[in-house]
Amino acid sequence: MDTHTCVIIRLHMRHSIAGSKRRGLSIDERNLCTFKCCCEGLNCTSSWLTPDYPCFPIQYIAVAPAFPDHSTMRFISCTYRKCAPRAAQIFLICATWFCSVGRSTSVTNEAPRLAFYFGTKTRYEEVNPFLLTNPLLVTRKQDLLPNTCTPLQVVSVIRHGTRYPTKKQIMKLKKMYSLIQKSESKSELVKELQSWDMWYEDWMDGQLVKKGEEDMKNLAYRLASLFPALFTVDKFLKYKMSFITSSKHRCVDSTKAFIRGLAHSYFRLPQPTEDEKTDITCREPVVNDTLMRFFDHCERFVVQVEDNDTAMYELDKFKEGPEMRRVLQKISTLLDIPVHELNADLIQVAFFTCSFELAINNVINSSWCSLFDEEDAKVLEYLNDLKQYWKRGYGFDINRRSSCSLFQHLFHLLDTTVSESKRSQQISVPVAMHFGHAETLLPLLALMGLFKDEKPLTADNFATKYGHQFRSGRIVPYASNLLFVLYHCDLAESPEEEYQVQMLLNENLLPFPHSQQSVCLFDDLKKQYSHLLDSCHVIEECELTKAAHTSEDEL
């Protein structure tokens, strides 16, 4: 029987986000249209994409035996037997995955050229590229302690998964987009940006996206696979696992997604019915902002750093420095927008839009990305790192010391487990998961002395400092995670060696800063941080009247 090549219809989605919300449609993948092949007498088949998006045809192309240029069309063709309605003779819709009218966008399992420079907006896959191919792959089992040591407990701090831009970022993007709309440039890039669909809306305001849920589900599966003796269905059902979260919706939703990943992906427990969903309150995450958003509860941090304009002196200086002026002038020329109408914040939000398109929708080569090359990206990464350094890292001592309560809480969990083990008691909390923000992890890591550069990051040392240790995109991408793994070693040569600890950052072994070794005796670790465990009292540290704490690392 004869076969025919399908007619290809290029589709572009024009519905509004608000309209999607009213109709109850998910908008996390709103740039996606469905690939669908329908023939009379045959079942309608579609790809892995949801078919619910209303896509409207804007271009019809009859495909001859020779395909169009795939590098520009990205169309999918299929063949079928003569089965279409008579009046149409041949009718089939084959839509591309991405249907935007911008310049060639594509989906890939390779990292695009700018992906490593997005700072705190970096995908988790950039620090573990193998996850692009297999998001459930575990690669670190060989690095853990030998079989003579048994894991007793995992204590973790996890950043939420991929999210939408915040309302403040969306407002800046709208301003940048408005300037581009007014541009009279005839360049292809400007035309593409002008035709780009401004789909971000204020109500999104940092909410977790579908990709962020998958980040958490996959992380849960991998951590459980890494430590199967701790992540057991028995411990899960008997509520031996604790889940504490920040009150922010993206963190609460991340925690719930992590729990679902354990329950249904790893343990293969059946999905609960509507009646049963009200009976799992014991497994609902516990909101504790005192722990997970300690910075909001530290008056000295809020007054001296958060609300103090002069605290960001180095950041503001870099915004006006030669590196940023060069990027500013370049973007002004590309977009034909007067340079005085642009500023560092608008350039940065354009760069972040490239990152959001990649992280949320997996779009590479977005028109927003085409504005920048790698040298620009390095400057903009350093701009973001300066902010994180002075606001959340080593810039001011209160940044770090405000996290003492969380640090002490984590060590109390480990200490309690050691005591229970010594008394041959059942471990009360073998798995303790804490979900927060980049702003939760960075001060904690700095408190422990990790990723500390010899000299502080300043506006003047970009040229000599690039390649610095404190690179937020490598440390706290979306879904970043810090794990303390406590082991009991049966064949220890001395009682001191019986309990040992390893740290993992983003599922990779993290050397302890005092020894540069990947394993530490628990007693030695307590001694190393005794000054924080015994003398860092967060109530006193955060009192506004307290004199600034001095130490050899104070800047």
Side-chain angles (χ1 to χ4, degrees):
M1 189 174 292
D2 294 339
T3 61
H4 300 267
T5 303
C6 294
V7 174
I8 304 301
I9 301 180
R10 186 180 186 182
L11 305 178
H12 181 53
M13 184 161 28
R14 287 295 189 188
H15 70 282
S16 70
I17 298 299
S20 295
K21 196 176 181 185
R22 285 193 300 270
R23 290 190 293 272
L25 301 179
S26 166
I27 49 82
D28 293 342
E29 298 172 309
R30 48 84 56 209
N31 275 332
L32 308 182
C33 294
T34 303
F35 165 63
K36 185 175 289 186
C37 295
C38 298
C39 294
E40 186 180 33
L42 298 177
N43 291 329
C44 204
T45 60
S46 63
S47 74
W48 58 91
L49 303 179
T50 172
D52 291 331
Y53 297 111
C55 301
F56 302 97
I58 61 169
Q59 185 176 3
Y60 295 82
I61 302 170
V63 180
F67 273 71
D69 181 3
H70 280 229
S71 65
T72 57
M73 300 298 294
R74 305 284 181 183
F75 290 158
I76 302 171
S77 177
C78 63
T79 59
Y80 71 103
R81 298 181 184 277
K82 187 171 6 179
C83 53
R86 294 177 183 175
Q89 294 295 319
I90 299 174
F91 179 78
L92 183 67
I93 297 178
C94 294
T96 59
W97 185 356
F98 287 92
C99 315
S100 57
V101 294
R103 54 185 293 166
S104 175
T105 58
S106 60
V107 181
T108 182
N109 62 355
E110 297 179 358
R113 59 192 173 89
L114 304 181
F116 300 99
Y117 304 105
F118 291 140
T120 53
K121 312 302 184 292
T122 300
R123 298 184 302 178
Y124 189 70
E125 289 81 0
E126 261 51 84
V127 297
N128 289 314
F130 58 86
L131 297 177
L132 289 168
T133 303
N134 183 354
L136 300 180
L137 183 62
V138 175
T139 64
R140 290 294 165 189
K141 286 188 177 181
Q142 70 276 13
D143 295 335
L144 302 180
L145 288 179
N147 292 334
T148 55
C149 296
T150 304
L152 292 180
Q153 185 180 46
V154 168
V155 176
S156 73
V157 180
I158 300 173
R159 186 191 177 194
H160 58 75
T162 307
R163 62 163 175 82
Y164 287 117
T166 62
K167 184 177 181 180
K168 187 181 295 185
Q169 290 164 339
I170 292 170
M171 289 174 63
K172 291 178 183 178
L173 175 56
K174 287 180 178 179
K175 182 176 180 181
M176 184 67 178
Y177 186 62
S178 175
L179 290 174
I180 294 173
Q181 292 299 313
K182 296 174 184 176
S183 172
E184 297 181 356
S185 171
K186 304 300 182 184
S187 74
E188 286 300 315
L189 177 57
V190 171
K191 290 178 182 178
E192 289 161 6
L193 287 169
Q194 287 173 336
S195 63
W196 178 77
D197 189 3
M198 174 61 199
W199 64 277
Y200 298 101
E201 303 224 0
D202 292 352
W203 64 264
M204 296 175 179
D205 194 22
Q207 292 187 53
L208 196 71
V209 300
K210 184 67 176 177
K211 171 61 165 59
E213 293 182 13
E214 295 304 313
D215 291 339
M216 292 293 106
K217 290 178 182 178
N218 293 338
L219 178 62
Y221 188 97
R222 293 194 303 273
L223 292 184
S225 300
L226 196 58
F227 302 103
L230 296 177
F231 289 87
T232 67
V233 67
D234 182 67
K235 290 182 175 68
F236 182 77
L237 293 177
K238 291 182 177 178
Y239 308 107
K240 294 290 186 180
M241 302 181 186
S242 71
F243 301 93
I244 295 175
T245 178
S246 152
S247 63
K248 290 292 184 179
H249 45 66
R250 54 186 170 272
C251 295
V252 175
D253 291 344
S254 290
T255 311
K256 291 180 177 179
F258 187 96
I259 294 171
R260 290 197 300 273
L262 281 180
H264 309 306
S265 299
Y266 186 74
F267 297 136
R268 301 291 183 183
L269 296 175
Q271 296 281 351
T273 65
E274 288 299 321
D275 293 336
E276 292 173 328
K277 286 181 181 179
T278 59
D279 295 330
I280 62 169
T281 53
C282 293
R283 213 155 28 244
E284 284 290 300
V286 176
V287 173
N288 189 336
D289 279 346
T290 303
L291 275 181
M292 306 314 297
R293 292 184 62 84
F294 49 79
F295 41 88
D296 285 343
H297 299 266
C298 184
E299 185 181 14
R300 190 156 73 91
F301 168 78
V302 172
V303 173
Q304 295 182 355
V305 181
E306 180 79 33
D307 294 340
N308 181 6
D309 292 339
T310 63
M312 294 298 106
Y313 170 79
E314 295 294 340
L315 174 68
D316 294 336
K317 184 179 178 182
F318 189 74
K319 287 180 178 180
E320 303 298 328
E323 294 88 3
M324 274 305 305
R325 284 201 304 270
R326 179 191 63 78
V327 178
L328 206 66
Q329 185 60 59
K330 172 188 171 181
I331 302 302
S332 169
T333 302
L334 279 175
L335 297 178
D336 194 18
I337 295 174
V339 70
H340 69 268
E341 294 187 22
L342 298 172
N343 57 48
D345 288 346
L346 293 178
I347 300 302
Q348 187 177 50
V349 81
F351 185 61
F352 282 161
T353 303
C354 168
S355 78
F356 289 129
E357 294 290 278
L358 174 65
I360 297 172
N361 286 334
N362 201 27
V363 178
I364 67 168
N365 299 329
S366 159
S367 298
W368 292 99
C369 301
S370 299
L371 289 168
F372 307 98
D373 59 27
E374 285 195 60
E375 291 307 309
D376 304 328
K378 290 177 181 179
V379 172
L380 291 164
E381 180 195 28
Y382 194 73
L383 177 69
N384 184 262
D385 287 344
L386 275 174
K387 176 184 176 182
Q388 303 303 328
Y389 184 90
W390 288 95
K391 195 171 185 178
R392 306 295 176 184
Y394 289 99
F396 297 98
D397 206 46
I398 188 57
N399 298 350
R400 293 171 281 166
R401 296 186 73 83
S402 62
S403 70
C404 278
S405 56
L406 176 59
F407 180 82
Q408 291 163 358
H409 167 79
L410 301 176
F411 262 77
H412 176 72
L413 288 168
L414 296 170
D415 210 19
T416 299
T417 297
V418 171
S419 297
E420 291 172 341
S421 174
K422 286 181 177 179
R423 296 194 299 267
S424 300
Q425 294 178 340
Q426 188 177 41
I427 305 304
S428 54
V429 186
V431 174
M433 317 302 286
H434 305 77
F435 295 81
H437 310 263
E439 297 89 340
T440 309
L441 270 168
L442 282 176
L444 180 65
L445 292 166
L447 184 72
M448 297 179 65
L450 292 155
F451 304 104
K452 185 182 179 184
D453 292 276
E454 291 184 8
K455 295 182 179 180
L457 273 62
T458 67
D460 298 326
N461 61 7
F462 167 77
T464 58
K465 254 340 242 189
Y466 194 79
H468 48 284
Q469 291 189 60
F470 193 91
R471 292 183 67 185
S472 57
R474 302 300 177 96
I475 305 170
V476 287
Y478 294 124
S480 51
N481 50 89
L482 174 66
L483 268 64
F484 296 88
V485 186
L486 176 66
Y487 294 88
H488 177 259
C489 298
D490 296 323
L491 301 182
E493 296 181 0
S494 67
E496 292 79 14
E497 296 179 1
E498 194 172 347
Y499 296 96
Q500 302 184 29
V501 179
Q502 285 187 314
M503 286 195 304
L504 286 81
L505 181 67
N506 303 327
E507 301 171 74
N508 295 288
L509 279 176
L510 181 64
F512 290 92
H514 67 280
S515 66
Q516 293 305 307
Q517 299 298 313
S518 63
V519 63
C520 183
L521 303 182
F522 180 66
D523 285 344
D524 286 351
L525 196 61
K526 287 177 65 177
K527 291 176 184 176
Q528 182 65 30
Y529 291 117
S530 60
H531 63 293
L532 298 176
L533 296 172
D534 300 333
S535 305
C536 186
H537 306 295
V538 73
I539 294 177
E540 296 176 6
E541 295 288 340
C542 290
E543 284 179 352
L544 192 56
T545 55
K546 179 181 172 65
H549 182 276
T550 57
S551 70
E552 62 181 8
D553 6 280
E554 179 115 50
L555 301 174

